[in-house]
């Protein structure tokens, strides 16, 4: 079976896990589903995970009794109760009697546990509409059906722990993704369920804010737990970051890591999914020792792979727990990542081309430059409609200022601009820079498809790189946001064929998800098309470098 478990197991490390696993099976139940309300049961694998999550530094260590890991992550396929494991742990962290923190050691050197003092536990949801659903809903169900339900006060927006005097002695609550809603929280534990869905800048900022909150209650040794399924490569999700960190730990690039990570998936031995039996075997490996919940479960899952219209990349992510590029994703982000040059920018007077695309009122507008000689792309401007805002317009003066700055700072051969939503503005630019601004309509399917194919060929050949300087605290991050837009682009197959009879493709909204903006990806493709045209035309820099003065002695 293929797993990634880091750091490696050290049996000399003490853990609070045994008592906590016993408490889960004594006081917890299964959440909504076929086993709803039945007593919780931990298989050997999940028991081992909890043991690792609650490892503490041994007696005699300078940090004796403190948690070893500030974060824990469980990455498993759908349908194996990983969310319930996360919720059971959440209930322990909230429980007034659970021995979740080390309070010293017994004569044999085993840790003795105590409960958290006034626990505060935020549970992050993907959207505001889900703050009372998903993991938080499972928590409320499990508590209400547990034998110790009288210790808690449950409502739709919080779970309170009842103190000896009847007053609240701690709470768990669902939180939205707005950073200011979680800012200032005195967190003792927090749960992120399905963090592969946390991809938007505001979601990532909320996650970062919540992590920083865990430093405020040092005496309670706060930590965070992620429970996730493999996500879509290139979406720049929180879980993608966590997975990358785990792989770095495996390679030995992190000293004294503060993350415990466990993942199981169907390995390379199951890459061949052409037959039903091979897919059943792959699902069985990804599921692990827990096996089928009912007869024929794996066969039913395997047959769904052949369903007409099935998204097989999504099927692999959810049923085999494999990180995959989306079936509707235009760019292969695994090919793009090695081409990233964060921090690299185009020098002053670089001979360059520009690409401009976007909507004035709806989604986003972007300006991208590429060095003709170097092939380095840098995003010079990005304007996105804020989430939840209906009436919004790109500030035209800022866009024009960005174009003017590019024309001044760089030696621009051409700016290819898609004009439909910016007709008058692009016309004004053309009047100002008649030799450099050119309207380039993206609504020509065949012409656009060939331009995009050239862009993808540049990625495949490695002749393009992606730079940009991300500034801490800035409203937008040129390098990160350019990659995000490239990852957001969906693919649409045209009914048109190329000269070899192969189908042509253009970009569109991915899986119909309106929130996935990709205008910077289109601007990047237009900048690259202008670069290719410059090379084909034999274009030469307009600004000659000044020769140093001759020395007279």
């Amino acid at each position: 079976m293929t797993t990634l478990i880091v750091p490696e197991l050290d049996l000399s490390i003490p853990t609070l896990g045994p008592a906590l696993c016993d408490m889960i099976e004594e006081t917890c139940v299964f959440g909504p589903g076929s086993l709803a309300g039945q007593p919780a049961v931990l298989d050997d694998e999940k028991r081992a995970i909890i043991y690792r999550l609650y490892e503490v530094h041994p007696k005699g260590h300078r940090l004796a009794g403190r948690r070893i890991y500030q974060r824990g992550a469980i990455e498993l396929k759908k349908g194996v109760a990983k969310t319930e494991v996360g919720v059971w742990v959440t209930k322990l962290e909230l429980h007034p009697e659970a021995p979740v923190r080390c309070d010293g050691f017994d004569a044999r050197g085993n840790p003795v546990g105590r409960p958290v003092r006034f626990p505060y536990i935020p549970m992050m949801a993907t959207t505001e509409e889900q703050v009372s659903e998903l993991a938080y809903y499972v928590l409320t169900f499990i508590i209400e059906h547990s034998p110790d339900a009288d210790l808690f006060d449950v409502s739709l927006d919080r779970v309170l722990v009842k103190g000896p005097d009847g007053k609240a002695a701690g709470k768990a609550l669902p939180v939205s993704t707005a950073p200011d809603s979680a800012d200032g929280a005195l967190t003792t534990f927090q749960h992120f369920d399905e963090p592969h869905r946390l991809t938007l800048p505001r979601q990532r900022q909320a996650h970062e804010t919540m992590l920083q909150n865990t430093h405020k209650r040092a005496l309670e040794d706060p930590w965070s737990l992620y429970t996730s399924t493999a996500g879509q490569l290139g979406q720049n999700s929180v879980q993608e970051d966590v997975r990358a960190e785990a792989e770095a730990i495996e390679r030995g690039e992190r000293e004294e890591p503060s993350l415990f990570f466990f993942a199981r998936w169907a390995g390379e031995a199951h890459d061949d999914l052409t037959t039903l039996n091979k897919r059943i075997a792959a699902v069985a490996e990804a599921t692990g020792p827990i096996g089928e919940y009912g007869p024929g479960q794996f066969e039913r899952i395997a047959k769904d792979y052949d369903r007409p219209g099935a998204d097989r990349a999504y099927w692999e992510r959810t049923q085999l727990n494999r990180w995959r590029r989306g079936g509707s994703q235009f760019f292969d982000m695994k090919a793009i990542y090695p081409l990233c040059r964060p921090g690299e920018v185009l020098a002053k007077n670089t001979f360059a081309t520009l690409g401009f695309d976007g909507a004035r009122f709806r989604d986003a507008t972007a300006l991208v430059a590429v060095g003709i000689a170097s092939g380095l792309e840098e995003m010079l401007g990005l304007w996105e409609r804020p989430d939840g805002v209906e009436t919004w317009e790109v500030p035209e003066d800022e866009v024009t200022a960005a174009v003017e700055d590019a024309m001044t700072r760089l030696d621009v051969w051409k700016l290819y601009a898609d004009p439909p939503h910016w007709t008058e503005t692009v016309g004004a630019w053309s009047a100002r820079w008649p030799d450099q601004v050119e309207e380039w309509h993206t609504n020509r399917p065949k012409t656009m498809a060939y331009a995009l194919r050239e862009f993808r060929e540049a990625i495949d050949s490695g002749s393009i790189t992606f730079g940009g300087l991300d500034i801490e605290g800035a409203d937008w991050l040129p390098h990160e946001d350019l990659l995000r837009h490239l990852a957001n682009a969906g693919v649409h197959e045209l009914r048109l064929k190329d000269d070899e009879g192969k189908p042509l493709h253009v970009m569109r909204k991915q899986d119909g998800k309106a929130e996935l903006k990709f205008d910077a990806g289109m601007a990047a493709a237009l900048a690259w098309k202008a670069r290719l045209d410059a090379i084909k035309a034999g274009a030469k820099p307009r600004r000659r470098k000044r020769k140093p003065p001759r020395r007279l002695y």
Side-chain angles (χ1 to χ4, degrees), residues 252-516:
E253 298 173 3
R254 296 285 189 278
E255 295 184 8
E256 298 187 15
S258 60
L259 169 71
F260 168 73
F261 184 91
F262 179 94
R264 172 185 299 286
W265 67 97
E268 294 180 357
H270 297 282
D271 281 353
D272 184 356
L273 302 174
T274 55
T275 69
L276 180 64
N277 287 336
K278 289 178 179 178
R279 294 195 294 276
I280 290 174
V283 172
E285 172 163 334
T287 303
I290 193 173
E292 292 184 309
Y293 282 113
Q297 179 190 11
F298 292 168
E299 181 176 349
R300 181 187 180 100
I301 293 171
K303 285 182 176 178
D304 191 55
Y305 184 86
D306 282 332
R307 173 175 49 83
D311 185 338
R312 292 182 173 180
Y314 178 78
W315 185 92
E316 285 196 56
R317 293 199 304 275
T318 57
Q319 301 303 334
L320 304 188
N321 202 39
R322 290 174 171 173
W323 284 84
R324 286 290 185 264
R325 172 188 171 194
S328 61
Q329 197 172 10
F330 193 91
F331 297 104
D332 182 357
M333 298 306 294
K334 289 184 70 175
I336 287 178
Y337 288 147
L339 305 175
C340 290
R341 304 292 184 268
E344 290 190 15
V345 296
L346 299 174
K348 186 176 181 180
N349 292 330
T350 295
F351 192 35
T353 54
L354 306 178
F356 175 81
D357 182 74
R360 185 187 293 267
F361 299 102
R362 293 198 300 273
D363 292 335
T365 291
L367 178 68
V368 176
V370 59
I372 293 175
S374 66
L376 175 69
E377 286 212 336
E378 176 189 355
M379 186 155 65
L380 305 180
L382 177 66
W383 299 265
E384 294 184 284
R385 177 170 60 88
D387 296 307
V389 176
E390 294 297 328
T391 304
W392 177 81
E393 181 177 354
V394 176
E396 182 180 354
D397 57 339
E398 290 186 16
V399 177
T400 296
V403 172
E404 181 177 19
D405 179 72
M407 292 292 188
T408 302
R409 184 170 61 87
L410 303 173
D411 183 2
V412 177
W413 182 71
K414 291 288 186 183
L415 161 61
Y416 280 2
D418 186 26
H421 302 288
W422 293 90
T423 305
E424 292 184 9
T425 305
V426 172
W429 297 345
S430 182
R432 186 173 179 182
W433 298 287
D435 296 330
Q436 292 156 289
V437 177
E438 183 174 321
E439 293 185 357
W440 207 99
H441 293 264
T442 61
N443 60 357
R444 297 171 292 168
K446 190 169 185 177
T447 303
M448 189 70 245
Y450 276 109
L452 289 171
R453 187 164 72 177
E454 291 171 338
F455 189 52
R456 286 206 287 197
E457 287 172 351
I459 294 170
D460 294 339
S461 66
S463 57
I464 188 173
T465 54
F466 300 92
L469 182 62
D470 289 345
I471 302 174
E472 185 176 354
D475 293 334
W476 66 290
L477 303 172
H479 178 72
E480 182 177 315
D481 287 342
L482 176 56
L483 297 183
R484 174 168 57 87
H485 275 232
L486 290 170
N488 285 347
V491 63
H492 173 63
E493 183 175 312
L494 301 174
R495 295 183 179 181
L496 303 172
K497 307 291 183 180
D498 65 11
D499 296 338
E500 298 178 356
K502 297 179 181 179
L504 294 169
H505 302 86
V506 294
M507 286 193 275
R508 71 171 182 184
K509 293 287 186 183
Q510 189 178 149
D511 296 327
K513 298 177 181 177
E515 72 275 13
L516 298 183

